[in-house]
Amino acid sequence: MRAMLLERPQPAEKSPLTLDDLPTPTPGPGEIRVRIRCCGLCHTDLHTVEGDLQLPRLPVVPGHQIVGIVDALGPGARIFKEGDRVGIPWLHSTDNQCDYCRRGLENLCDQAQFTGYHVDGGYAEYTVVNENYAYRIPEVFSDENAAPLLCAGIIGYRSYRLSGILPGQRLGLYGFGASAHLVLQFARHQNCEVYVFTRTPIHRELAQRLGAVWVGSAEDTPPHPLDASIIFAPAGALVPQALRVLRKAGTLALAGITMSTIPAMDYSLLYHERVIRSIANSTRQDAREFLQLAAEVPLQTEVELFDLGQANQALQALKKSEIKGAGVLRINM
Ligand SMILES: [Zn+2]
Ligand SMILES: [Zn+2]
């Protein structure tokens, strides 16, 4: 099968992925094989290819927003049948038995394996996964429009949920990429007012079109203090900026997998029971709840398509914030 393989992490500009011919995987017990139709691009992929993350194995095929068709069942697999359309996200497997798993926090499982990181991911024609970690894609979504839901969407949903925002309240979003443009629609569906902080003109325009009540820069002060905010950009300098316009008892959720140093700040920014919390990965329950809600809204995803062999160029565009909405690799489409 064709796959874009990472042998050695390098800056995206150096095109670290090479188009390779790998053996097509065979599904093991309880696994399904998926013929991949498309795979979304995520900032984590960029952190993977550039080596910002400690990589558990090399070479590796990145990609963890996989949409495809089940084309073979391993022994004992019975949830899906051949021809079903499924999605595979970042959470590839857990041990189901550690303290975190037992407490409903499998996103923090000590033995968790992640797609396109511990195991080969979706920048390829085929992949295999345990059937308990794949999800039916609601029919309302096309393949390419479903792909960004699988990480950007699920992580956005968990961030939204853990920000504690209630229907009708005011939500701030910092950074307006793939996740934020889904959270905005979700929040509007819950009658929240959404305030978007971004410098990029195409992101400002998209935010306004999707119903943001206000757009500005992180240095700007919106007309009302916010009930909760989510930072999607990996910029620690945004933390004091966001706290500055957050109401008493408001939560600031940090959705990124990495962040630059958070500057020293005055305690008064945090006082009055404001909360800063990070968001890590997501659970299977997040995925199921989110996909159902996404179909109810239904969420509109803005996608830009690239061919599998253009994965390097696509990651370069992602790095430069040149993709409007979410980037998606077209594979068996
Ligand atoms: Zn991701
Ligand atoms: Zn566990």
PDB file of all heavy atoms in Angstrom, residues 52 235 297:
ATOM      1  N   ASP A  52       8.880  17.753  17.709  1.00  0.00           N
ATOM      2  CA  ASP A  52       8.613  18.492  18.956  1.00  0.00           C
ATOM      3  C   ASP A  52       8.141  17.534  20.034  1.00  0.00           C
ATOM      4  O   ASP A  52       8.273  17.808  21.221  1.00  0.00           O
ATOM      5  CB  ASP A  52       7.492  19.530  18.761  1.00  0.00           C
ATOM      6  CG  ASP A  52       7.832  20.542  17.693  1.00  0.00           C
ATOM      7  OD1 ASP A  52       9.033  20.768  17.472  1.00  0.00           O
ATOM      8  OD2 ASP A  52       6.900  21.093  17.080  1.00  0.00           O
ATOM      9  N   ALA A 235       0.483  29.198  22.337  1.00  0.00           N
ATOM     10  CA  ALA A 235       1.223  30.389  22.764  1.00  0.00           C
ATOM     11  C   ALA A 235       0.930  30.723  24.219  1.00  0.00           C
ATOM     12  O   ALA A 235      -0.149  31.210  24.555  1.00  0.00           O
ATOM     13  CB  ALA A 235       0.857  31.564  21.862  1.00  0.00           C
ATOM     14  N   VAL A 297     -26.426  19.192  14.990  1.00  0.00           N
ATOM     15  CA  VAL A 297     -26.317  20.660  14.741  1.00  0.00           C
ATOM     16  C   VAL A 297     -26.758  21.005  13.315  1.00  0.00           C
ATOM     17  O   VAL A 297     -27.619  21.907  13.187  1.00  0.00           O
ATOM     18  CB  VAL A 297     -24.890  21.154  15.082  1.00  0.00           C
ATOM     19  CG1 VAL A 297     -24.746  22.623  14.704  1.00  0.00           C
ATOM     20  CG2 VAL A 297     -24.592  20.955  16.591  1.00  0.00           C
TER      21      VAL A 297
END
